[in-house]
Amino acid sequence: MKKKALPILVVCALIVLIVAIMGVMSLIRKYTPSKEWQDLDTYYHLSANDEVAIILNNEVIESKAKVIDGHIYVDFDFVHDTLNNRFYWDHNENILLYATPRELISAEADKNSYLITKSSVDYGRAVVKANADSAYIDLDFVKQYSDFAYEYVKDPHRIIITNEWGDYQVAHLKKDTNLRLKGGIKSPILTEAKQKDTVSVLEEGNNWTKVMTTDGIIGYVKNRTLSATEIKTRKSDFEAETYAHITKDFEICMAWHQVTNRSANSNIASVLANTKGVNVISPTWFYLNDNNGNLANLASMDYVNYCHSQGVEVWALVSNLENKDADSAEVLTHTSKRQNLVNQIVSMAIQYNLDGINLDFESLDANKVGDSYIQFVRELSIKCANNGIVLSVDNYVPTAYTSFYNRAEQAKFADYVVIMGYDEHYAGSDEGSVSSLNWVKQGVADTLKEVPSEQVILGMPFYTRVWALTPDDDNAEKADADTDTAYTVSSQVYGMRAANDLLTTYGATKNWLDDCGQNYAEFKDGKITYKVWLEDSSSAEARLKLIDENNLAGASFWKLGFETSDIWDTIIKYIN
């Protein structure tokens, strides 16, 4: 029996030994650090020899740069969206533009020189490289005008860009250690960090800390390999451009004068005689007249001379609304056409001795125009400033869909930003006030988030809309129930005097609405119900108070001829 048991015992012992060895091997595998190295081209998602990874503020981003003839070129979209949104790329004409307060820098694709206004500068290499799909800008050229620092590292190609300044944490390595892709000894090795190396501490964990090396590799090291953290401070050495403005030493009281033909200019004496306190007048003299950026011109030298003799400045209006066949987007998105328009505006201002220009480009499509509108403002501003011409720009009250008008950037370049505080309700909308007080208050508050108060002019209406609610024949039952869906809504513009006369004719009673800051009236004519949110001296006074409350630059009024005479006594109580 003993002889038979011996082999069994041997087998059992071998099994135990094997199991023990396997256990030991498992433990060894579990606790032995991986020696696998992560390929850095894969880590940086580089797929071509000329691609350059970008590490932006301690993060590897998707955008890639290129190395061309030993120099770094970065994609325009990355430059615009991340480094400096003042760079403008005209993909139609392959021109890169950058506006300073007084000069326009322009560089044509693949040329080794660029222009500062009209002076040529030899750059020694192409400022911008372009193909059908994209444009790449020399990074050193971008840096001349932008607030960031960068370092270029080879093998593989990468640039470490910083444009966030202030305090950050660093630590030193106590000994040589492997920087791993993720926290854990089984994660692939990115690089071997050396004792006393300094790393930026990005995220501290229980056992592993996320760090970035000075050459732009982001990974994890064991906590015990790091010294105590300390605070360092990144400081920018960039000298930001300063913007000067032509500002008046008086409160602006501007009125728009609609001029539709040259003969109307002869009425300026009587037009001004019916006002009080107006120190700036804006005649509607110029408008975009074709797709090449040419202007229609209704200006009059006699008109300007008379206004100047009365101590009134002339800021002529330039519009894009009169000629429906003129495509604003076509002009604004082509540099040659846009600059033709700019040159014509400034030439007209000089020819007619204008004190200023009031730019009124409305109904633009953000998808078609993009940044071209604000580039137009920049370019026009530079030429106006260099010729002592005030530039004011008309704007809607801020909304998400008008954000591309970029009021904050306008405020850098233009002298005044005008809020068109009207058309809250408009032709085609539901019935309501043209300019309710709370709506205007919000428009002022939102504008002041982007524009300094001393540059803001509040535009106010001298008109209202008379709303007609006509019952739908197919919804007579609903019409009797006085529901919104039972009516066809239409409206007609009335000046202050005409609206008052209409209410008198129908014997309508006015009622003050505190929330609107307006008198309201309603009357019927047959089956049609009429509703009017009135513009008068009381509604104007409620808005004029906003100028003092917010320290605004002044007010402007659309349009002369729509007002009642008493409105001017109210205006001069608050302006001048």
Side-chain angles (χ1 to χ4, degrees):
M1 291 293 294
K2 290 182 179 180
K3 290 183 178 180
K4 292 182 178 179
L6 184 59
I8 295 172
L9 290 173
V10 171
V11 170
C12 289
L14 287 171
I15 291 171
V16 170
L17 180 61
I18 290 169
V19 170
I21 291 171
M22 291 176 64
V24 170
M25 293 298 293
S26 177
L27 289 172
I28 292 171
R29 283 194 300 269
K30 180 177 180 180
Y31 292 105
T32 299
S34 169
K35 294 183 179 180
E36 177 190 358
W37 285 76
Q38 172 70 49
D39 177 69
L40 289 184
D41 282 333
T42 304
Y43 167 76
Y44 286 119
H45 307 291
L46 299 175
S47 57
N49 291 334
D50 64 344
E51 280 192 336
V52 180
I54 300 175
I55 301 95
L56 175 67
N57 299 320
N58 306 325
E59 181 181 354
V60 179
I61 64 171
E62 184 177 345
S63 181
K64 300 290 185 295
K66 288 183 180 293
V67 58
I68 303 174
D69 297 328
H71 298 282
I72 303 300
Y73 286 76
V74 282
D75 179 68
F76 168 78
D77 289 335
F78 172 73
V79 172
H80 179 273
D81 297 344
T82 306
L83 301 181
N84 190 334
N85 64 10
R86 199 161 290 148
F87 278 97
Y88 174 84
W89 173 245
D90 179 348
H91 63 86
N92 291 309
E93 298 182 3
N94 281 358
I95 299 174
L96 178 72
L97 298 163
Y98 186 83
T100 71
R102 300 301 289 264
E103 294 176 313
L104 183 65
I105 289 90
S106 58
E108 294 183 37
D110 302 315
K111 286 196 173 181
N112 291 1
S113 61
Y114 62 94
L115 294 177
I116 300 179
T117 306
K118 294 182 179 180
S119 299
S120 180
V121 178
D122 183 4
Y123 192 63
R125 59 182 181 271
V127 171
V128 57
K129 295 277 191 177
N131 55 39
D133 301 319
S134 59
Y136 282 82
I137 312 171
D138 181 87
L139 186 56
D140 289 323
F141 183 82
V142 176
K143 193 175 184 308
Q144 291 183 105
Y145 306 101
S146 311
D147 187 10
F148 69 90
Y150 85 92
E151 182 180 353
Y152 171 43
V153 182
K154 297 180 180 179
D155 195 24
H157 297 301
R158 56 195 185 272
I159 48 175
I160 304 138
I161 296 178
T162 300
N163 65 354
E164 293 179 355
W165 312 107
D167 293 343
Y168 66 105
Q169 284 188 316
V170 300
H172 305 287
L173 290 170
K174 296 178 182 178
K175 60 179 183 178
D176 293 356
T177 189
N178 291 325
L179 184 75
R180 295 185 179 273
L181 182 63
K182 296 180 180 179
I185 60 174
K186 295 302 181 183
S187 183
I189 300 167
L190 293 171
T191 189
E192 185 179 21
K194 299 296 184 181
Q195 184 180 7
K196 296 184 180 181
D197 279 357
T198 300
V199 292
S200 298
V201 176
L202 308 183
E203 184 181 318
E204 294 181 89
N206 292 330
N207 298 304
W208 293 79
T209 292
K210 186 178 182 181
V211 300
M212 185 176 84
T213 63
T214 56
D215 60 352
I217 300 177
I218 300 168
Y220 291 79
V221 294
K222 289 181 179 179
N223 291 353
R224 65 173 181 266
T225 65
L226 290 174
S227 68
T229 60
E230 56 183 286
I231 301 297
K232 295 279 189 179
T233 302
R234 291 190 185 97
K235 293 182 179 179
S236 170
D237 59 1
F238 180 73
E239 292 186 15
E241 297 156 332
T242 56
Y243 293 82
H245 298 96
I246 304 172
T247 53
K248 299 300 175 179
D249 58 0
F250 53 82
E251 207 167 13
I252 304 297
C253 184
M254 180 168 79
W256 283 290
H257 179 205
Q258 188 171 30
V259 176
T260 57
N261 54 69
R262 286 185 180 274
S263 61
N265 290 316
S266 62
N267 299 326
I268 183 57
S270 60
V271 167
L272 280 181
N274 290 326
T275 69
K276 291 181 183 178
V278 170
N279 49 35
V280 176
I281 194 165
S282 181
T284 59
W285 276 347
F286 306 112
Y287 58 85
L288 183 63
N289 205 31
D290 61 26
N291 289 350
N292 292 313
N294 293 310
L295 281 179
N297 172 17
L298 298 173
S300 162
M301 196 70 240
D302 289 340
Y303 183 110
V304 175
N305 289 337
Y306 181 79
C307 289
H308 286 172
S309 74
Q310 302 302 303
V312 176
E313 294 196 0
V314 181
W315 297 2
L317 183 140
V318 179
S319 169
N320 67 326
L321 300 176
E322 281 71 19
N323 187 338
K324 303 303 180 185
D325 293 328
D327 186 342
S328 300
E330 172 71 15
V331 173
L332 296 182
T333 56
H334 289 76
T335 294
S336 59
K337 299 179 180 184
R338 186 180 63 251
Q339 292 183 351
N340 179 47
L341 175 58
V342 167
N343 289 336
Q344 287 201 32
I345 292 171
V346 175
S347 176
M348 293 295 181
I350 294 170
Q351 178 181 341
Y352 290 98
N353 195 25
L354 300 178
D355 306 281
I357 290 294
N358 178 240
L359 184 65
D360 185 42
F361 267 50
E362 301 182 34
S363 301
L364 298 176
D365 184 334
N367 294 323
K368 293 180 179 179
V369 172
D371 280 343
S372 299
Y373 171 75
I374 193 62
Q375 182 63 20
F376 172 43
V377 173
R378 292 181 188 120
E379 292 171 9
L380 179 57
S381 163
I382 292 169
K383 292 216 166 184
C384 283
N386 289 336
N387 288 280
I389 301 162
V390 174
L391 176 61
S392 61
V393 183
D394 299 340
N395 284 270
Y396 301 107
V397 298
T399 57
Y401 60 85
T402 62
S403 61
F404 73 98
Y405 278 85
N406 201 342
R407 296 163 191 82
E409 185 75 348
Q410 283 185 35
K412 292 282 198 307
F413 286 87
D415 301 304
Y416 292 101
V417 173
V418 183
I419 305 171
M420 295 186 291
Y422 37 80
D423 284 346
E424 176 185 4
H425 295 87
Y426 49 88
S429 77
D430 293 335
E431 72 273 19
S433 171
V434 164
S435 181
S436 68
L437 182 59
N438 286 335
W439 181 78
V440 175
K441 282 183 177 179
Q442 189 63 55
V444 170
D446 290 342
T447 299
L448 291 178
K449 294 174 184 176
E450 301 180 86
V451 184
S453 61
E454 64 271 17
Q455 288 181 256
V456 175
I457 297 172
L458 178 57
M460 305 183 195
F462 279 167
Y463 70 94
T464 187
R465 285 186 176 274
V466 175
W467 298 89
L469 281 68
T470 306
D472 293 341
D473 292 338
D474 295 336
N475 291 294
E477 185 177 337
K478 290 182 179 179
D480 291 340
D482 197 31
T483 59
D484 291 340
T485 56
Y487 294 91
T488 297
V489 179
S490 60
S491 67
Q492 186 174 345
V493 171
Y494 277 68
M496 291 179 172
R497 185 181 301 104
N500 274 324
D501 291 346
L502 182 69
L503 297 185
T504 300
T505 299
Y506 284 92
T509 302
K510 303 176 188 177
N511 295 293
W512 181 258
L513 303 178
D514 285 331
D515 59 335
C516 289
Q518 290 173 294
N519 282 305
Y520 171 79
E522 186 174 319
F523 60 91
K524 280 198 169 186
D525 185 6
K527 292 183 179 182
I528 302 175
T529 299
Y530 291 90
K531 297 182 178 183
V532 188
W533 284 260
L534 283 162
E535 293 301 333
D536 53 27
S537 59
S538 297
S539 63
E541 184 165 25
R543 297 189 204 99
L544 286 164
K545 289 178 180 177
L546 298 176
I547 295 172
D548 288 341
E549 291 170 4
N550 294 281
N551 298 311
L552 305 186
S556 191
F557 307 94
W558 178 266
K559 65 178 178 170
L560 290 176
F562 271 1
E563 78 278 12
T564 52
S565 58
D566 65 315
I567 197 73
W568 296 109
D569 292 323
T570 302
I571 290 170
I572 61 176
K573 280 171 57 180
Y574 293 91
I575 302 180
N576 297 318

